[in-house]
Amino acid sequence: MTSLAPYACHPDASFGRLHPEPGGEVRGPRDMFQRDRDRIIHSIAFRRLRHKTQVFVSPDGDHYRVRLTHSLEVAQIGRTTARTLGLNEDLTEALCLAHDIGHPPFGHAGEDALEVAMEDHGGFDHNAHTLRTLMLLDSPYPRFRGLNLSWEMLEGLAKHNGPVIHPGWAMRELDAMFPLDLGSHASLEAQLAAIADDIAYDNHDIDDGLRAGLLTLDQLLDVPLIRGCWDRVRARYPDVPQERLLRELVREQIGVMANDLIAATRRNIAEAGVQTAADVRALGRTLVGFSPDLAEQERVLKRFMYATLYHHPEQIAAADKARVIVADLFRAYHADPALMPGEWHADCALEEPARSRHIADFIAGMTDRYAEKRHAEIYGRMI
């Protein structure tokens, strides 16, 4: 790792862990945030991301992104930009790897179904469920529940999209366990993880949409950001067939967005005059982001992607099917918790809201294919 800027998160200045480590934090060559990253990588919740929807529900092809590969791409972008900005590379990488762990099967469609099922019991939010998974549900250690991650890691996951002004029930419970100062802004590393997420999915969703035949290059070239990148790619490779340049287009766009992010963030930090990570949290605004011009171009790109890909009729049909599966599973487990396996059945409460929240925890941890399998077993049919 390169030397850290004074406003970066320093592992030696961490606010620590909820459960102090026996014998202290120093055990071998890894520091606090390196151990956080490794705990994420070795967790069951992280491994399950390989069979959870990114854009395409249970994709048939081996080359489409899933939550796991998306998280790895986010981490690559976050790690590189953190190094360039003098931020803590390990903390940034850990936040990028963990940011989607709370997503239920079938992506946002599954989340919508759980939100409806839980509307009388506090609702469901995938970001809060990420923390719930890491602080309570994924428990490989003998002395405590959860992965016992650092305060900076948990704070960053809670607030990477900004202060949490109106926390839901799950976030409130976790904050009561280990106060995360929800009303302030998060570290620069957490802010960077959020933008790395945008850069990754803005671009790999284009790649997957083209591969699936739901997007065409002619459609894409109506977007100013894409048109500018495509013109530069064609100028560099005038004799290369068009179809061989589509992945080069995606690489070009990632480079344009990452370089703009670095330059704009450096300006913001210099103008704000922050000297420490505490200054960043107290500033009251986000420092990591695109320049105003690129931010507007990126908003135009997002509107295009929603209109042409995310709301494509094939995508809507797949999402409708996914919502039925999740709603049916919740209904079945609520009526008969014995349908859940082993400890999940034994630990299911009789009273509400604990009963419904326990069932939602179980369903949210499912992969797409496990949810489809359990639905077929319970209802005797495939949807």
Side-chain angles (χ1 to χ4, degrees):
M1 181 190 296
T2 55
S3 59
L4 294 178
Y7 39 74
C9 284
H10 291 248
D12 293 341
S14 170
F15 291 113
R17 304 185 189 277
L18 177 59
H19 306 286
E21 295 288 326
E25 190 65 39
V26 179
R27 294 186 336 200
R30 296 176 300 163
D31 65 31
M32 171 87 71
F33 302 142
Q34 290 170 333
R35 293 176 68 195
D36 281 349
R37 176 202 58 211
D38 296 347
R39 289 179 183 194
I40 295 299
I41 290 172
H42 288 279
S43 69
I44 290 174
F46 183 69
R47 293 198 294 275
R48 284 198 298 254
L49 294 179
R50 65 177 175 161
H51 293 301
K52 288 198 173 191
T53 292
Q54 177 59 30
V55 172
F56 297 100
V57 174
S58 298
D60 293 330
D62 291 335
H63 298 163
Y64 294 105
R65 272 76 172 186
V66 292
R67 287 282 168 196
L68 179 62
T69 57
H70 163 67
S71 298
L72 293 172
E73 293 185 24
V74 176
Q76 180 270 318
I77 294 168
R79 188 175 60 243
T80 303
T81 48
R83 183 185 306 142
T84 306
L85 291 166
L87 302 181
N88 192 293
E89 189 178 333
D90 298 310
L91 177 59
T92 303
E93 182 180 17
L95 289 164
C96 292
L97 291 171
H99 79 284
D100 269 354
I101 274 177
H103 271 285
F106 313 119
H108 293 288
E111 182 172 9
D112 291 344
L114 280 181
E115 173 65 24
V116 171
M118 291 284 290
E119 62 184 351
D120 294 330
H121 308 293
F124 180 88
D125 171 68
H126 80 266
N127 194 48
H129 195 72
T130 292
L131 271 80
R132 185 168 169 82
T133 300
L134 299 175
M135 293 177 72
L136 295 174
L137 302 178
D138 200 326
S139 297
Y141 300 105
R143 295 190 309 110
F144 46 74
R145 297 176 68 184
L147 299 186
N148 199 30
L149 301 174
S150 70
W151 185 91
E152 289 75 13
M153 180 71 181
L154 297 172
E155 178 230 18
L157 290 171
K159 300 186 297 186
H160 64 279
N161 289 319
V164 182
I165 305 303
H166 302 292
W169 67 270
M171 192 72 77
R172 288 196 304 272
E173 285 188 355
L174 300 169
D175 186 56
M177 287 172 49
F178 196 19
L180 298 173
D181 191 19
L182 295 178
S184 73
H185 280 71
S187 65
L188 292 174
E189 287 82 358
Q191 295 178 32
L192 178 55
I195 303 298
D197 182 27
D198 286 347
I199 294 174
Y201 76 71
D202 279 345
N203 290 288
H204 67 47
D205 289 357
I206 290 173
D207 191 19
D208 283 355
L210 287 167
R211 187 182 303 279
L214 302 187
L215 296 176
T216 67
L217 180 60
D218 287 342
Q219 288 177 303
L220 290 167
L221 293 182
D222 288 335
V223 180
L225 175 61
I226 299 176
R227 165 60 75 176
C229 291
W230 179 249
D231 288 345
R232 287 190 293 275
V233 167
R234 291 298 289 159
R236 283 202 303 270
Y237 303 103
D239 300 324
V240 176
Q242 175 175 293
E243 60 274 10
R244 290 192 59 195
L245 294 181
L246 295 177
R247 293 177 69 187
E248 184 65 24
L249 169 65
V250 172
R251 285 193 290 272
E252 173 76 12
Q253 288 179 185
I254 291 174
V256 166
M257 297 173 83
N259 288 331
D260 180 273
L261 168 67
I262 291 166
T265 298
R266 282 176 169 159
R267 287 194 299 271
N268 293 342
I269 291 172
E271 291 170 2
V274 293
Q275 297 297 316
T276 66
D279 292 343
V280 172
R281 294 187 176 95
L283 187 64
R285 60 186 172 90
T286 299
L287 291 174
V288 180
F290 300 123
S291 65
D293 179 61
L294 189 61
E296 177 55 32
Q297 291 186 63
E298 198 253 354
R299 283 191 288 270
V300 171
L301 172 60
K302 275 188 166 60
R303 289 196 292 270
F304 166 83
M305 294 296 284
Y306 273 95
T308 57
L309 179 62
Y310 306 141
H311 293 163
H312 189 281
E314 288 187 23
Q315 293 288 82
I316 291 173
D320 289 343
K321 169 186 169 181
R323 280 188 283 268
V324 169
I325 291 173
V326 172
D328 283 352
L329 287 174
F330 189 94
R331 189 180 307 110
Y333 293 137
H334 199 278
D336 183 6
L339 291 170
M340 291 188 291
E343 293 181 359
W344 283 99
H345 169 218
D347 292 342
C348 189
L350 294 175
E351 69 280 358
E352 293 289 4
R355 181 188 185 91
S356 289
R357 292 175 180 178
H358 181 78
I359 293 167
D361 286 342
F362 178 56
I363 294 174
M366 292 179 172
T367 62
D368 294 13
R369 64 182 188 177
Y370 182 70
E372 290 175 322
K373 176 185 175 183
R374 294 295 294 130
H375 187 275
E377 290 171 350
I378 292 170
Y379 288 95
R381 67 183 191 281
M382 296 289 292
I383 292 183

